[in-house]
């Protein structure tokens, strides 16, 4: 018998020990008892972190949509699978039952097939948070196509880069999207992107805002009429356990985004298991994760994890500030939400508003509060705990990454005693460790180091699309036979983990993972810019904000600096998206560099965070004089 649902702390420790002692038996039992397979595996796990190669449930045959939809039809056909809450609170919420989801996914799958899409083809999805988005993912999975969702806040350039990197044949988008009181011309962005994407032959367009858009003859097609004519039955493609399910891009320390590849069986088993335990989901609960499906949180914990458990999952189209800053609380009240999962940046923004906006709403349905995406600071934790959970709902500070596919370190509600700012304990199957600068493991408790994982878990990303070497270099080369997360962490006296933040050139801004290199690449395109360096610095609401040091080509030019700042942010918006804009831009005559020409970011970080008492060792600097200039002109 598997321990699918852990109910108390002793049981957690027992299950955890088993998952370390006998990982294959542990996962095999869960896979065996809680999913439907066309054929079971020949081998549970095969792995080698030096290659690296990881295979779970080899030989097994399945389709993930049968696990997320078909198998619930008999007992839960009329249960709401997806509860869609529109941007406009006066527009009716839509309850999509499992039976309706089945029909709509199959229709969409048939439309894709009619467009010539088959198993293994890549499908780019660039949609707002409307039901078609979740349905499009599942439709791809139904026919074995690999979805690549691009968050609909990314710019045309970012979109075309991603489309071309994975050679997508087709793009699914909408005429536009609602965002609070504004509308966004999504189709216009897609049109701009597709100028650079010769491989895309078809663009399917959902109607959402009924705006006037241009449809390119032969390429663009309205989605709805095609769906209306499609059959509601579509035989699922039988997939191998290790067939890719999706690609999702995440930014890294160097220019190009990394297309993380997740495969079918392991991802399904792990997201389902962690959803059940981390949210303590019970059959009639209403679960809401506020993330966008354009990020991994939405893939794993709006779509696949909840649906694999036959849950009701809320999809919210809008923003926390519209029509007012009480919108989240109004939705919890309206739909009697039981589990609520959001990001610290949202909590901090909402904590700044009047408490009346909270107290107007009945939040008594809540049982579990989740937090994800960045460290949650103590103040935000207490505000969330006191005012939203009313001290009754445990806060689940869940640490994970796009690359890990599912939650890795997290309390289990009503099981693990929580401490503010601690992600607490590894989930069953996860073997974290801390490494020091000499690449040695730091044993014992009350220690701090770089967070690595020693042993594979089912939903680890298997490669970077088209670049296995980069996958190896990024995650498996810093430490021998370990997956390196890029985060620092400390382990306290009882073995709880606290994530302290990134130790590489990635900055988490408002919960968004931003590599500084791609932003620097964008800025350097500006004709007046010679060189630039970007670092993060602490920000009240966003967690971190970006600080740019920019060398202009023509020092002493009389160009207006404020205009240049605007132009630089405009370029960033065009290349990446508005989320990557810089809060501060300092023009400088030079950047601190080592003799080998490397920018010493450590110093720039300290100056940006106004922590210049001790700059550390600067003896290897080629141009120490520039440090004083930068400090003198630092922006506060
Ligand atoms: C990075 C991954 C998968 C979640 C969404 C972000 C940071 C994530 C926490 C947390 C402290 C966290 C880490 C991680 N992070 N959750 N609970 N506490 N930091 O996914 O965009 O791939 O970013 O987010 O730095 O490495 P992502």
């Amino acid at each position: 018998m598997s321990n699918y649902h852990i109910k108390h702390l002793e049981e957690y420790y027992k299950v955890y020990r088993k998952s370390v002692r006998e990982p294959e038996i542990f996962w095999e039992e869960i896979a065996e008892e809680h999913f439907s397979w066309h054929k079971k595996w020949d081998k549970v796990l095969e792995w080698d972190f030096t290659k690296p190669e990881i295979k779970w449930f080899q030989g097994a045959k399945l389709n993930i949509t049968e696990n997320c939809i078909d198998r619930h039809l008999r007992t839960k056909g009329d249960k709401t699978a997806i509860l869609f809450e529109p941007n406009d609170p006066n527009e009716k919420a839509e309850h999509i039952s499992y039976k309706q989801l089945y029909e709509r996914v199959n229709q969409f799958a048939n439309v894709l097939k009619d467009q010539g899409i088959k198993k293994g083809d890549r499908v780019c999805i660039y949609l707002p948070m409307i039901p078609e988005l979740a349905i499009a993912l599942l439709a791809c999975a139904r026919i074995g196509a690999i979805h690549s969702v691009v968050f609909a806040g990314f710019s045309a350039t970012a979109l075309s880069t991603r489309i071309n990197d994975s050679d997508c044949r087709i793009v699914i988008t909408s005429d536009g999207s609602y965002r609070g009181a504004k509308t966004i011309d999504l189709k216009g962005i897609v049109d701009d992107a597709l100028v650079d994407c010769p491989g895309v032959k078809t663009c399917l367009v959902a109607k959402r805002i009924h705006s006037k858009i241009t449809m390119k003859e032969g390429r663009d097609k309205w989605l709805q009429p095609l769906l209306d004519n499609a059959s509601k039955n579509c035989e699922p493609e039988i997939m191998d356990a290790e067939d890719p399910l999706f690609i999702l891009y995440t930014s890294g320390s160097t220019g190009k985004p990394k297309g993380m590849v997740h495969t079918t069986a392991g991802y399904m088993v792990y997201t389902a298991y962690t959803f059940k335990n981390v949210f303590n989901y019970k059959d009639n609960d209403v679960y809401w994760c506020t993330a966008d499906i354009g990020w991994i949180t939405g893939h794993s914990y709006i779509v696949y994890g909840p649906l694999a458990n036959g849950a009701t999952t809320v999809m919210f189209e809008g923003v926390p500030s519209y029509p007012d800053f009480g919108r989240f609380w109004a939705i919890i009240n309206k739909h009697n939400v039981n589990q609520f999962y959001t990001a610290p940046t949202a909590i901090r923004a909402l904590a700044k508003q009047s408490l009346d906006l909270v107290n107007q709403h009945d939040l008594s349905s809540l049982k579990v509060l989740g937090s994800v995406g960045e460290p949650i600071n103590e103040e935000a934790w207490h505000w969330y705990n006191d005012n939203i959970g009313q001290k009754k709902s445990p806060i689940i500070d869940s640490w994970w990454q796009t690359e890990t596919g599912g939650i890795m370190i997290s309390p289990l509600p009503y099981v693990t005693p929580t401490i503010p700012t601690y992600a607490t304990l590894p989930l069953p199957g996860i073997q974290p460790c801390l490494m020091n600068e000499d690449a040695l493991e730091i044993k014992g408790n009350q220690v701090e180091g770089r967070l690595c994982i020693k042993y594979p878990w089912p939903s680890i990303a298997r490669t970077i699309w088209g670049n296995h070497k980069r996958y190896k270099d990024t995650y498996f080369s810093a430490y021998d036979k370990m997956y390196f997360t890029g985060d620092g962490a400390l382990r306290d006296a009882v073995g709880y983990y606290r994530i302290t933040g990134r130790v590489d050139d990635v900055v988490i801004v408002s919960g968004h993972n931003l590599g500084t290199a791609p932003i620097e690449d964008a800025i350097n395109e500006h004709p007046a810019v010679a060189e630039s360096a970007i670092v993060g610095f602490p920000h009240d609401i966003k967690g971190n904000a970006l600080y740019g040091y920019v060398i202009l080509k023509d020092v002493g030019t009389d160009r207006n600096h404020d205009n240049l700042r605007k132009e630089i942010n405009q370029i960033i918006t065009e290349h990446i998206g508005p989320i990557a804009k810089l809060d501060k831009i300092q023009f400088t005559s030079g950047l601190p560099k080592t003799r080998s020409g490397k920018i010493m970011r450590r110093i720039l970080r300290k100056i940006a965070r106004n922590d210049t008492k001790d700059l550390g060792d600067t003896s290897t600097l080629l141009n120490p004089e520039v440090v004083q200039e930068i400090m003198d002109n630092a922006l506060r």
Side-chain angles (χ1 to χ4, degrees):
M1 253 288 284
S2 77
N3 297 85
Y4 191 67
H5 187 196
I6 297 169
K7 298 197 185 60
H8 51 83
L9 194 59
E10 272 153 75
E11 189 186 2
Y12 160 79
Y13 280 112
K14 200 179 116 225
V15 171
Y16 183 76
R17 279 193 298 269
K18 171 173 171 175
S19 79
V20 172
R21 215 173 39 235
E22 305 175 315
E24 299 190 24
I25 295 174
F26 173 76
W27 287 114
E28 171 157 54
E29 285 175 355
I30 288 170
E32 188 122 39
E33 285 166 36
H34 299 279
F35 300 90
S36 59
W37 306 89
H38 283 268
K39 175 181 170 286
K40 298 260 168 83
W41 43 94
D42 306 314
K43 196 161 184 215
V44 179
L45 172 64
E46 193 174 305
W47 68 291
D48 179 349
F49 273 178
T50 57
K51 280 186 180 167
E53 184 181 82
I54 304 136
K55 290 179 177 164
W56 282 92
F57 307 113
Q58 251 188 102
K61 304 264 183 205
L62 74 157
N63 184 288
I64 195 169
T65 67
E66 287 184 294
N67 282 276
C68 288
I69 309 172
D70 305 40
R71 67 173 169 142
H72 306 311
L73 293 178
R74 205 171 45 81
T75 52
K76 295 179 180 157
D78 295 321
K79 178 177 174 175
T80 301
I82 295 175
L83 204 176
F84 172 63
E85 172 67 22
N87 177 65
D88 177 355
N90 299 316
E91 188 182 328
K92 228 169 145 263
E94 192 183 347
H95 290 252
I96 302 170
S97 69
Y98 273 92
K99 183 157 179 294
Q100 290 165 329
L101 184 63
Y102 173 83
E103 294 175 353
R104 289 177 66 173
V105 166
N106 284 339
Q107 285 180 310
F108 207 136
N110 283 322
V111 168
L112 292 176
K113 274 188 172 170
D114 288 343
Q115 300 304 317
I117 302 301
K118 28 179 221 320
K119 179 178 172 181
D121 288 347
R122 274 79 61 206
V123 175
C124 174
I125 302 174
Y126 187 74
L127 278 171
M129 282 286 284
I130 55 177
E132 284 80 357
L133 173 53
I135 292 167
L137 267 67
L138 295 161
C140 289
R142 188 80 177 172
I143 63 169
I146 302 169
H147 55 73
S148 169
V149 183
V150 178
F151 171 60
F154 274 118
S155 69
T157 316
L159 175 59
S160 64
T161 307
R162 287 160 175 75
I163 289 172
N164 289 332
D165 182 74
S166 48
D167 204 3
C168 294
R169 305 257 327 265
I170 183 170
V171 177
I172 303 166
T173 189
S174 66
D175 51 357
S177 65
Y178 292 117
R179 200 179 155 74
K182 290 191 284 199
T183 57
I184 293 166
D185 176 22
L186 281 195
K187 177 61 165 55
I189 297 172
V190 171
D191 288 341
D192 288 348
L194 291 187
V195 171
D196 299 318
C197 303
V200 174
K201 301 289 179 246
T202 313
C203 176
L204 299 180
V205 187
K207 208 171 248 181
R208 178 56 182 144
I209 66 168
H210 300 268
S211 54
K212 266 222 175 82
I213 58 167
T214 45
M215 296 290 278
K216 187 171 169 190
E217 186 73 41
R219 184 193 73 188
D220 301 346
K221 294 170 185 151
W222 288 108
L223 177 63
Q224 196 56 49
L226 300 176
L227 289 172
D228 291 340
N229 286 319
S231 156
K232 293 176 177 162
N233 292 305
C234 175
E235 279 301 309
E237 184 78 28
I238 307 305
M239 306 295 285
D240 287 340
E242 285 294 341
D243 278 337
L245 175 64
F246 64 85
I247 301 167
L248 187 61
Y249 287 88
T250 185
S251 49
S253 304
T254 60
K256 224 175 149 199
K258 296 173 285 189
M260 304 312 307
V261 177
H262 283 284
T263 59
T264 308
Y267 176 82
M268 171 183 79
V269 169
Y270 193 77
T271 54
Y273 175 75
T274 51
F275 173 77
K276 174 74 183 170
N277 284 288
V278 172
F279 297 102
N280 192 31
Y281 185 84
K282 307 264 175 67
D283 225 0
N284 293 314
D285 289 346
V286 175
Y287 160 87
W288 179 23
C289 164
T290 69
D292 193 290
I293 292 176
W295 308 114
I296 190 71
T297 310
H299 281 59
S300 302
Y301 298 109
I302 295 178
V303 182
Y304 290 111
L307 296 178
N309 282 282
T312 296
T313 175
V314 175
M315 246 184 106
F316 174 44
E317 181 185 29
V319 292
S321 55
Y322 181 81
D324 61 41
F325 278 97
R327 185 68 190 279
F328 276 4
W329 324 129
I331 294 173
I332 291 171
N333 186 353
K334 177 176 174 187
H335 297 303
N336 294 308
V337 170
N338 302 110
Q339 291 90 359
F340 177 67
Y341 192 30
T342 196
T345 185
I347 298 166
R348 288 189 294 263
L350 295 171
K352 287 233 181 314
Q353 313 300 322
S354 156
L355 265 184
D356 293 344
L357 288 165
V358 177
N359 295 333
Q360 281 162 16
H361 306 286
D362 177 1
L363 303 181
S364 60
S365 57
L366 287 172
K367 297 192 289 191
V368 177
L369 298 177
S371 170
V372 63
E374 58 187 310
I376 178 165
N377 51 306
E378 190 128 10
E379 209 183 335
W381 195 98
H382 284 293
W383 186 87
Y384 199 28
N385 186 50
D386 297 353
N387 299 297
I388 306 307
Q390 284 143 13
K391 297 189 175 151
K392 294 190 312 262
S393 299
I395 294 181
I396 299 319
D397 178 359
S398 59
W399 173 83
W400 57 298
Q401 310 177 295
T402 305
E403 296 86 338
T404 69
I407 297 170
M408 303 285 281
I409 303 183
S410 171
L412 302 180
Y414 306 100
V415 171
T416 318
T418 59
I419 303 180
T421 77
Y422 280 79
T424 76
L425 297 169
L427 296 187
I430 306 307
Q431 301 187 31
C433 62
L434 299 176
M435 305 297 288
N436 70 16
E437 312 241 315
D438 302 322
L440 296 172
E441 182 172 353
I442 311 168
K443 303 261 183 169
N445 287 354
Q446 286 187 306
V447 291
E448 184 165 359
R450 295 178 170 213
L451 182 62
C452 291
I453 316 286
K454 280 183 182 179
Y455 196 86
W457 61 100
S459 67
I460 182 175
R462 304 297 197 259
T463 189
I464 291 173
W465 184 265
N467 199 344
H468 197 66
K469 180 172 182 302
R470 188 173 179 200
Y471 173 71
K472 177 175 176 169
D473 292 347
T474 311
Y475 304 106
F476 297 92
S477 300
Y479 304 100
D480 191 34
K481 298 196 183 73
M482 304 248 175
Y483 167 82
F484 174 46
T485 64
D487 283 316
L490 59 84
R491 188 166 53 224
D492 77 357
V494 297
Y496 276 17
Y497 286 87
R498 176 188 184 172
I499 313 301
T500 49
R502 300 291 310 188
V503 295
D504 55 9
D505 294 329
V506 171
V507 185
I508 313 272
V509 179
S510 297
H512 299 310
N513 187 330
L514 297 174
T516 51
I519 308 175
E520 289 161 5
D521 290 350
I523 299 177
N524 297 348
E525 302 260 310
H526 190 290
V529 172
E531 200 181 353
S532 60
I534 291 167
V535 296
F537 70 99
H539 183 279
D540 257 14
I541 291 179
K542 299 195 275 192
N544 295 292
L546 299 172
Y547 192 120
Y549 299 90
V550 175
I551 306 177
L552 293 176
K553 273 191 183 143
D554 212 353
V555 194
T557 140
D558 49 2
R559 289 213 41 195
N560 179 305
H561 279 186
D562 281 336
N563 285 346
L564 276 172
R565 287 191 177 96
K566 280 196 197 114
E567 289 168 24
I568 286 171
N569 268 332
Q570 183 55 33
I571 287 204
I572 295 175
T573 303
E574 280 160 20
H575 277 71
I576 297 158
I579 50 176
K581 283 204 273 195
L582 309 182
D583 273 37
K584 293 182 183 170
I585 300 176
Q586 175 179 354
F587 297 106
T588 170
S589 70
L591 294 166
K593 287 195 178 164
T594 63
R595 279 164 217 286
S596 59
K598 253 187 105 174
I599 298 172
M600 227 191 238
R601 287 166 194 280
R602 182 168 54 78
I603 293 178
L604 296 176
R605 261 182 228 123
K606 287 206 159 200
I607 298 174
R609 52 176 64 214
N610 200 5
D611 165 25
T612 51
K613 268 193 230 82
D614 174 18
L615 288 179
D617 180 12
T618 53
S619 62
T620 56
L621 274 185
L622 195 63
N623 52 350
E625 69 290 345
V626 81
V627 175
Q628 193 59 48
E629 180 209 315
I630 295 178
M631 284 204 292
D632 291 345
N633 300 325
L635 302 168
R636 297 287 162 233

